[in-house]
Amino acid sequence: MAEFCKQFNEKTENMYEKGVPVGVKLSAFSDRTFKFDVRSPPTSFLILKAAGMEKGPQQPSIDRPSGYITPEAVYEIAKMKHRDEMRWHLPLEGVARSVVGTARSMGVVVREAEDDADSEEEKK
C-alpha cells in the first residue's frame, strides 16, 4: 500500500493541481505486484471548474441555467477526456458532444463569450 501511494504521488505530481480528483485503474496481482493507470478528472468536475462554480445546483434546469461555459472550454475538456484509455478511439467531436450533454444535465449552458455581454446589457 505504501509503495502504491509513493508511485501514485510521483506519477500525478506534475499532471494536475493538488486536490483535483482523478480516476485510477488498479490491477493487483497474486505475486503482490500491481499496475495502475491514472485517468482524467470527472467531466462534471471539469465543467464546474470551467463555469467557475463550486458545486452544482440541487435541481438543474436548462430553463434556469446555473452557469455557462464556452465552446472553447468544451473543446479543452474534450481533449483532456480524449486521452483516457477508454476514449482514444472515439472521434473528438463525439467526446465533445458527451461533454455538452453532461453540462446540460448539470444545468450548465454552452454559449459563446459574446453572448454573456449581450445578456448583461439586455438585463439593464
Side-chain angles (χ1 to χ4, degrees):
M1 183 66 150
E3 184 62 28
F4 166 75
C5 291
K6 180 181 171 187
Q7 288 183 24
F8 176 80
N9 288 336
E10 287 174 5
K11 190 169 186 176
T12 60
E13 186 174 31
N14 298 323
M15 291 177 91
Y16 302 105
E17 299 171 8
K18 188 172 183 163
V20 173
V22 294
V24 177
K25 179 182 176 187
L26 176 65
S27 302
F29 304 106
S30 59
D31 62 354
R32 302 185 61 88
T33 59
F34 60 89
K35 180 180 118 180
F36 68 96
D37 294 317
V38 179
R39 298 181 178 172
S40 63
T43 305
S44 57
F45 174 82
L46 297 171
I47 291 169
L48 288 176
K49 187 174 175 184
M53 301 166 56
E54 288 190 27
K55 67 179 213 173
Q58 290 183 348
Q59 295 181 337
S61 169
I62 292 299
D63 299 329
R64 293 177 289 122
S66 57
Y68 301 95
I69 59 174
T70 63
E72 291 81 14
V74 170
Y75 176 71
E76 291 301 319
I77 293 170
K79 281 194 330 188
M80 188 180 295
K81 299 302 284 183
H82 193 251
R83 290 187 292 241
D84 277 354
E85 179 183 319
M86 307 261 311
R87 293 184 181 93
W88 66 268
H89 64 285
L90 298 173
L92 187 59
E93 180 183 352
V95 178
R97 287 177 189 257
S98 173
V99 171
V100 170
T102 301
R104 171 176 275 158
S105 71
M106 297 170 59
V108 176
V109 174
V110 178
R111 68 179 188 186
E112 292 291 336
E114 300 96 42
D115 292 348
D116 292 337
D118 292 343
S119 65
E120 293 287 330
E121 290 175 12
E122 289 173 6
K123 290 179 183 176
K124 293 181 181 178

